Amino acid sequence: MNMKPDKNKVVIFDTTLRDGEQSPGASMTLEEKLRIAAMLEELGVDVIEAGFPYASKGDFEAVQSIAKQLKNTTVCGLARATRGDIERAAEALKPSDNRRIHTFISTSPLHMKHKLKMEPNDVHQAVIDSVTYARSFTDNVEWSCEDATRSDHDFLCCCIESAIDAGAGTINIPDTVGYTLPMEFSKLISILFERVPNIDKAIVSVHCHNDLGLAVANSLAAVDAGARQVECTVNGLGERAGNAAMEEIVMALRTRGDILPLTTGANTEMITRASHLVSTITGFVVQPNKAIVGANAFAHEAGIHQDGMLKHAGTYEIMTPESVGLTQSKLVLGKHSGRHAFIEKLKEMGFDLGDNAFQEVFTRFKELADRKKDIFEEDIIALVDDQVARGDQRIKFVSLQVICGSTGPQKATLELEIDGEVKSAEATGDGPVDATFQAIRKLFPHEATLQLYQVHAVTKGTDAQAEVTVRLEEKGKSVNGQGADVDTMVASARAYVKALNKLIVKREKSAPAALSA
Ligand code: KIV
Ligand code: ZN
């Protein structure tokens, strides 16, 4: 159903799984998309754009599975202005009672001439035809005028009026190339309210890219001018410089209600967990000074600031760490904690694992507790992430010994279980990581190249777990694998093996190259 515009509510439309996934290297498996979708639903976003069903079989399956999984959140599928795209989106969205088709076409002279090779009149007709056709499948239709910020205003107003007449309940104004400035964008939104006669029958939405670092500022300027839906992604993930960051939009609205007295349905305490999940799955690290979710976002280093904070937190803190779900690293369990205490802790942290996954995580927890003095919530999250991301694996990590140091060559002795059989190999390399990865190559020969190798410490201290991300690429397809362990080399081997398993699944599902919007 088309949502009735609520003057005081800003609809949060999350496109991490569609526009975010279009970032080179950020591709996700179906299982990972389902985890992110579940997290976003818990976070209370209103609409999840789950993919572009016509673009690839994988996107179709993702939209369909997410449509089956979600209970309250509206699920949206993207479609160009063609019957084929719209039919595919409608088919994928069928399992959901809360579905939206989002159809788009470019309206700027540059895009119409060079990309679409269409005359403006034909584009206008395509707007009417595509929205009308999409409405034959659902009464929740969103229409976007791609490259709106470089479009002629008269033409834009005319297309928007026709899209609303044809039944679009949401009109999205994308700044596709991140070109606009806040004052210009707010003026554009005001022009639409003044000149499109039926604009009150739709929700005006904005979708800003971050090429000039202004995606969030532009989105908020548009909200100030009357827009009531913002399209955004977790951590600002997205092509080139990314999209408007969901956490920044939501927290700006929560923190500055004095200037923008509007609400969102977001449960902001989930923000830190969502950010961590998206970053771990995609391998896109969050810069330490990133607003809201960066490691330093709530850290006060300067003495004068610390002094002020001790006297009154409000002196240097405009929002509390707790409001974004950031808690002091909590010492949770120790080596004597039993099964029951561990189950209770997982429940309290919102994890619901099946029996097999629980047993594996519990075994890893006991091993970790033997090697690490203090176990924090972050350690448990890393263990669960590591386990849940595992799925069905043809290759399993068994053991690793590495000899390293200033006199080489560094040597790795590795055991892997491949298709149920334990095999071992030794390899030397330029450093312990190289030796470890060479040993994997010996046991399971493959052509993939290493695109990314990244390590970060889960908590403070020299006995902290290392969380490693490995990105492999083969024939234009890339996959990410993550691994966690107190031993960085073991975490590296686990991450590589996980990426390799995903690559095998991708090879099996191999399909023609995907489209992107
Ligand atoms: O940036 C853009 O214009 C888009 C549209 C498909 C909404 O992503
Ligand atoms: Zn976009």
Side-chain angles (χ1 to χ4, degrees), residues 15-23 25-37 50 58-59 62 234 237 277-279 281-284 478-480 502 506:
T15 184
T16 306
L17 299 176
R18 198 277 298 170
D19 222 347
E21 208 218 6
Q22 285 178 207
S23 314
S27 72
M28 307 168 206
T29 63
L30 174 61
E31 192 272 326
E32 289 166 343
K33 287 183 184 179
L34 287 167
R35 284 178 73 201
I36 292 177
D59 258 40
V234 175
L237 191 70
L277 183 67
V278 170
S279 160
I281 284 176
T282 59
F284 277 55
S478 67
V479 286
N480 293 307
K502 283 192 196 170
K506 262 216 162 148

Short mmCIF file of all heavy atoms in Angstrom, two decimals, residues 15-23 25-37 50 58-59 62 234 237 277-279 281-284 478-480 502 506:
data_model
loop_
_atom_site.label_atom_id
_atom_site.label_comp_id
_atom_site.label_asym_id
_atom_site.label_seq_id
_atom_site.Cartn_x
_atom_site.Cartn_y
_atom_site.Cartn_z
N THR A 15 19.67 0.93 1.36
CA THR A 15 20.05 0.29 0.10
C THR A 15 21.45 -0.33 0.17
O THR A 15 22.12 -0.51 -0.84
CB THR A 15 19.85 1.25 -1.11
OG1 THR A 15 20.15 0.55 -2.32
CG2 THR A 15 20.70 2.52 -1.01
N THR A 16 21.86 -0.72 1.40
CA THR A 16 23.17 -1.39 1.57
C THR A 16 23.28 -2.63 0.67
O THR A 16 24.33 -2.89 0.09
CB THR A 16 23.33 -1.84 3.05
OG1 THR A 16 23.13 -0.70 3.88
CG2 THR A 16 24.70 -2.44 3.31
N LEU A 17 22.17 -3.37 0.56
CA LEU A 17 22.22 -4.63 -0.18
C LEU A 17 22.10 -4.43 -1.69
O LEU A 17 22.30 -5.37 -2.46
CB LEU A 17 21.11 -5.56 0.31
CG LEU A 17 21.21 -5.94 1.80
CD1 LEU A 17 20.03 -6.78 2.23
CD2 LEU A 17 22.52 -6.68 2.07
N ARG A 18 21.76 -3.22 -2.13
CA ARG A 18 21.69 -2.97 -3.58
C ARG A 18 22.77 -1.97 -4.00
O ARG A 18 23.79 -2.34 -4.56
CB ARG A 18 20.28 -2.48 -3.95
CG ARG A 18 19.97 -2.60 -5.43
CD ARG A 18 20.49 -1.47 -6.29
NE ARG A 18 19.92 -0.19 -5.95
CZ ARG A 18 20.37 0.96 -6.44
NH1 ARG A 18 21.38 0.99 -7.29
NH2 ARG A 18 19.84 2.11 -6.06
N ASP A 19 22.62 -0.70 -3.66
CA ASP A 19 23.62 0.29 -4.07
C ASP A 19 24.94 0.03 -3.34
O ASP A 19 26.02 0.16 -3.91
CB ASP A 19 23.13 1.72 -3.78
CG ASP A 19 23.44 2.67 -4.93
OD1 ASP A 19 24.25 2.28 -5.79
OD2 ASP A 19 22.91 3.79 -4.95
N GLY A 20 24.86 -0.37 -2.06
CA GLY A 20 26.07 -0.65 -1.29
C GLY A 20 26.84 -1.80 -1.90
O GLY A 20 28.06 -1.76 -2.03
N GLU A 21 26.12 -2.83 -2.31
CA GLU A 21 26.79 -4.02 -2.84
C GLU A 21 27.45 -3.73 -4.18
O GLU A 21 28.31 -4.48 -4.63
CB GLU A 21 25.80 -5.18 -2.97
CG GLU A 21 26.51 -6.51 -2.85
CD GLU A 21 25.97 -7.58 -3.77
OE1 GLU A 21 25.10 -7.27 -4.60
OE2 GLU A 21 26.43 -8.73 -3.66
N GLN A 22 27.05 -2.62 -4.83
CA GLN A 22 27.67 -2.28 -6.11
C GLN A 22 29.11 -1.75 -5.95
O GLN A 22 29.81 -1.54 -6.94
CB GLN A 22 26.81 -1.25 -6.86
CG GLN A 22 25.56 -1.88 -7.45
CD GLN A 22 24.64 -0.88 -8.16
OE1 GLN A 22 23.44 -1.09 -8.26
NE2 GLN A 22 25.21 0.21 -8.65
N SER A 23 29.56 -1.53 -4.70
CA SER A 23 30.96 -1.12 -4.50
C SER A 23 31.86 -2.24 -4.96
O SER A 23 31.64 -3.39 -4.54
CB SER A 23 31.29 -0.92 -3.02
OG SER A 23 30.32 -0.20 -2.40
N GLY A 25 34.19 -5.10 -4.95
CA GLY A 25 34.76 -5.90 -3.86
C GLY A 25 33.80 -6.14 -2.70
O GLY A 25 34.09 -6.92 -1.82
N ALA A 26 32.62 -5.47 -2.74
CA ALA A 26 31.71 -5.59 -1.58
C ALA A 26 30.66 -6.68 -1.79
O ALA A 26 29.67 -6.72 -1.06
CB ALA A 26 31.02 -4.26 -1.31
N SER A 27 30.87 -7.55 -2.78
CA SER A 27 29.79 -8.51 -3.06
C SER A 27 29.59 -9.45 -1.86
O SER A 27 30.54 -9.78 -1.15
CB SER A 27 30.09 -9.30 -4.33
OG SER A 27 31.12 -10.20 -4.07
N MET A 28 28.35 -9.83 -1.66
CA MET A 28 28.00 -10.63 -0.49
C MET A 28 27.31 -11.92 -0.94
O MET A 28 26.65 -11.92 -1.98
CB MET A 28 27.01 -9.86 0.40
CG MET A 28 27.50 -8.47 0.75
SD MET A 28 26.16 -7.49 1.48
CE MET A 28 26.69 -5.84 1.08
N THR A 29 27.42 -12.95 -0.12
CA THR A 29 26.71 -14.18 -0.44
C THR A 29 25.25 -14.02 0.00
O THR A 29 24.92 -13.12 0.78
CB THR A 29 27.31 -15.39 0.31
OG1 THR A 29 27.14 -15.14 1.71
CG2 THR A 29 28.78 -15.56 0.01
N LEU A 30 24.42 -14.95 -0.44
CA LEU A 30 23.00 -14.92 -0.06
C LEU A 30 22.85 -14.97 1.46
O LEU A 30 22.11 -14.18 2.06
CB LEU A 30 22.28 -16.10 -0.70
CG LEU A 30 20.83 -16.30 -0.30
CD1 LEU A 30 19.99 -15.09 -0.68
CD2 LEU A 30 20.25 -17.55 -0.94
N GLU A 31 23.62 -15.85 2.06
CA GLU A 31 23.53 -16.03 3.52
C GLU A 31 23.92 -14.73 4.24
O GLU A 31 23.30 -14.33 5.23
CB GLU A 31 24.44 -17.22 3.86
CG GLU A 31 24.32 -17.78 5.23
CD GLU A 31 25.23 -17.06 6.19
OE1 GLU A 31 26.31 -16.64 5.76
OE2 GLU A 31 24.82 -16.88 7.35
N GLU A 32 24.94 -14.04 3.72
CA GLU A 32 25.38 -12.78 4.33
C GLU A 32 24.31 -11.70 4.17
O GLU A 32 24.05 -10.91 5.07
CB GLU A 32 26.71 -12.33 3.72
CG GLU A 32 27.88 -13.21 4.15
CD GLU A 32 29.14 -13.02 3.31
OE1 GLU A 32 29.07 -12.45 2.19
OE2 GLU A 32 30.20 -13.47 3.75
N LYS A 33 23.68 -11.69 2.98
CA LYS A 33 22.63 -10.69 2.76
C LYS A 33 21.45 -10.92 3.71
O LYS A 33 20.86 -9.98 4.24
CB LYS A 33 22.13 -10.75 1.30
CG LYS A 33 23.14 -10.18 0.32
CD LYS A 33 22.59 -10.18 -1.08
CE LYS A 33 23.64 -9.70 -2.04
NZ LYS A 33 23.20 -9.69 -3.42
N LEU A 34 21.14 -12.21 3.94
CA LEU A 34 20.04 -12.51 4.86
C LEU A 34 20.36 -12.04 6.28
O LEU A 34 19.50 -11.53 7.00
CB LEU A 34 19.72 -14.01 4.85
CG LEU A 34 19.02 -14.50 3.58
CD1 LEU A 34 19.03 -16.01 3.50
CD2 LEU A 34 17.58 -13.99 3.54
N ARG A 35 21.62 -12.19 6.67
CA ARG A 35 22.02 -11.73 8.02
C ARG A 35 21.91 -10.22 8.12
O ARG A 35 21.44 -9.68 9.12
CB ARG A 35 23.47 -12.14 8.31
CG ARG A 35 23.61 -13.60 8.62
CD ARG A 35 25.07 -13.94 8.83
NE ARG A 35 25.56 -13.43 10.10
CZ ARG A 35 26.85 -13.21 10.36
NH1 ARG A 35 27.76 -13.44 9.44
NH2 ARG A 35 27.21 -12.76 11.54
N ILE A 36 22.36 -9.52 7.07
CA ILE A 36 22.30 -8.05 7.12
C ILE A 36 20.83 -7.61 7.11
O ILE A 36 20.45 -6.70 7.86
CB ILE A 36 23.11 -7.43 5.96
CG1 ILE A 36 24.60 -7.71 6.18
CG2 ILE A 36 22.85 -5.93 5.84
CD1 ILE A 36 25.53 -7.22 5.10
N ALA A 37 20.02 -8.26 6.28
CA ALA A 37 18.59 -7.89 6.23
C ALA A 37 17.94 -8.08 7.60
O ALA A 37 17.17 -7.22 8.06
CB ALA A 37 17.87 -8.71 5.16
N ALA A 50 16.58 -4.74 -1.51
CA ALA A 50 17.33 -5.99 -1.36
C ALA A 50 18.13 -6.36 -2.60
O ALA A 50 18.98 -7.25 -2.54
CB ALA A 50 16.35 -7.11 -1.01
N GLY A 58 21.73 -14.27 -8.81
CA GLY A 58 22.05 -14.07 -7.39
C GLY A 58 21.20 -12.96 -6.79
O GLY A 58 20.69 -13.08 -5.68
N ASP A 59 21.04 -11.86 -7.53
CA ASP A 59 20.23 -10.75 -7.03
C ASP A 59 18.76 -11.19 -6.91
O ASP A 59 18.08 -10.85 -5.95
CB ASP A 59 20.32 -9.54 -7.97
CG ASP A 59 21.25 -8.48 -7.41
OD1 ASP A 59 22.29 -8.88 -6.86
OD2 ASP A 59 20.95 -7.28 -7.52
N ALA A 62 18.39 -13.31 -3.89
CA ALA A 62 18.52 -12.53 -2.65
C ALA A 62 17.22 -11.79 -2.36
O ALA A 62 16.71 -11.82 -1.23
CB ALA A 62 19.68 -11.54 -2.77
N VAL A 234 24.49 1.45 5.31
CA VAL A 234 25.28 1.31 6.54
C VAL A 234 26.74 1.65 6.23
O VAL A 234 27.29 1.20 5.22
CB VAL A 234 25.17 -0.13 7.08
CG1 VAL A 234 26.08 -0.33 8.29
CG2 VAL A 234 23.73 -0.47 7.42
N LEU A 237 28.40 2.77 2.70
CA LEU A 237 28.91 1.89 1.64
C LEU A 237 28.28 2.27 0.31
O LEU A 237 27.13 2.69 0.26
CB LEU A 237 28.51 0.45 2.02
CG LEU A 237 29.11 -0.68 1.23
CD1 LEU A 237 30.59 -0.82 1.53
CD2 LEU A 237 28.42 -2.00 1.57
N LEU A 277 28.86 -5.58 11.48
CA LEU A 277 28.48 -6.72 10.62
C LEU A 277 28.78 -6.41 9.15
O LEU A 277 29.39 -7.21 8.44
CB LEU A 277 26.99 -7.04 10.80
CG LEU A 277 26.48 -8.24 10.02
CD1 LEU A 277 27.09 -9.53 10.54
CD2 LEU A 277 24.95 -8.34 10.09
N VAL A 278 28.38 -5.20 8.71
CA VAL A 278 28.58 -4.85 7.29
C VAL A 278 30.07 -4.73 6.99
O VAL A 278 30.55 -5.19 5.95
CB VAL A 278 27.81 -3.54 6.95
CG1 VAL A 278 28.19 -3.02 5.58
CG2 VAL A 278 26.31 -3.80 7.02
N SER A 279 30.80 -4.17 7.92
CA SER A 279 32.24 -4.00 7.70
C SER A 279 32.94 -5.37 7.65
O SER A 279 33.80 -5.61 6.80
CB SER A 279 32.78 -3.12 8.81
OG SER A 279 34.13 -3.27 8.94
N ILE A 281 31.60 -8.31 6.88
CA ILE A 281 31.19 -9.10 5.71
C ILE A 281 31.83 -8.57 4.43
O ILE A 281 32.27 -9.32 3.58
CB ILE A 281 29.65 -9.13 5.61
CG1 ILE A 281 29.10 -10.10 6.67
CG2 ILE A 281 29.18 -9.53 4.21
CD1 ILE A 281 27.60 -10.17 6.76
N THR A 282 31.90 -7.26 4.29
CA THR A 282 32.39 -6.69 3.02
C THR A 282 33.90 -6.49 3.01
O THR A 282 34.49 -6.32 1.95
CB THR A 282 31.76 -5.31 2.76
OG1 THR A 282 32.09 -4.45 3.85
CG2 THR A 282 30.26 -5.40 2.60
N GLY A 283 34.52 -6.47 4.19
CA GLY A 283 35.96 -6.19 4.25
C GLY A 283 36.24 -4.70 4.08
O GLY A 283 37.39 -4.31 3.93
N PHE A 284 35.20 -3.86 4.12
CA PHE A 284 35.41 -2.41 4.04
C PHE A 284 35.56 -1.87 5.45
O PHE A 284 34.60 -1.75 6.19
CB PHE A 284 34.20 -1.73 3.36
CG PHE A 284 34.26 -1.77 1.86
CD1 PHE A 284 34.40 -2.97 1.20
CD2 PHE A 284 34.20 -0.61 1.11
CE1 PHE A 284 34.47 -3.04 -0.18
CE2 PHE A 284 34.28 -0.65 -0.28
CZ PHE A 284 34.41 -1.87 -0.92
N SER A 478 34.75 -11.54 -7.14
CA SER A 478 35.52 -11.44 -5.90
C SER A 478 34.69 -11.90 -4.70
O SER A 478 33.45 -11.80 -4.71
CB SER A 478 36.06 -10.03 -5.71
OG SER A 478 35.00 -9.15 -5.48
N VAL A 479 35.38 -12.42 -3.72
CA VAL A 479 34.73 -12.93 -2.50
C VAL A 479 35.56 -12.50 -1.29
O VAL A 479 36.77 -12.34 -1.39
CB VAL A 479 34.63 -14.47 -2.50
CG1 VAL A 479 33.58 -14.99 -3.44
CG2 VAL A 479 35.98 -15.08 -2.81
N ASN A 480 34.89 -12.33 -0.16
CA ASN A 480 35.58 -11.99 1.08
C ASN A 480 35.47 -13.14 2.06
O ASN A 480 34.41 -13.76 2.16
CB ASN A 480 34.93 -10.76 1.74
CG ASN A 480 35.11 -9.52 0.90
OD1 ASN A 480 36.22 -9.17 0.54
ND2 ASN A 480 34.02 -8.86 0.57
N LYS A 502 33.89 -19.86 -0.56
CA LYS A 502 32.88 -19.03 -1.22
C LYS A 502 33.12 -18.99 -2.73
O LYS A 502 32.19 -18.98 -3.52
CB LYS A 502 32.94 -17.60 -0.68
CG LYS A 502 32.31 -17.44 0.67
CD LYS A 502 32.18 -15.98 0.94
CE LYS A 502 31.92 -15.66 2.37
NZ LYS A 502 32.04 -14.23 2.63
N LYS A 506 30.67 -19.87 -5.81
CA LYS A 506 30.46 -18.89 -6.89
C LYS A 506 30.73 -19.52 -8.26
O LYS A 506 30.02 -19.30 -9.21
CB LYS A 506 31.38 -17.68 -6.71
CG LYS A 506 30.66 -16.53 -6.06
CD LYS A 506 31.10 -15.20 -6.59
CE LYS A 506 30.03 -14.20 -6.21
NZ LYS A 506 30.54 -12.88 -5.96
#
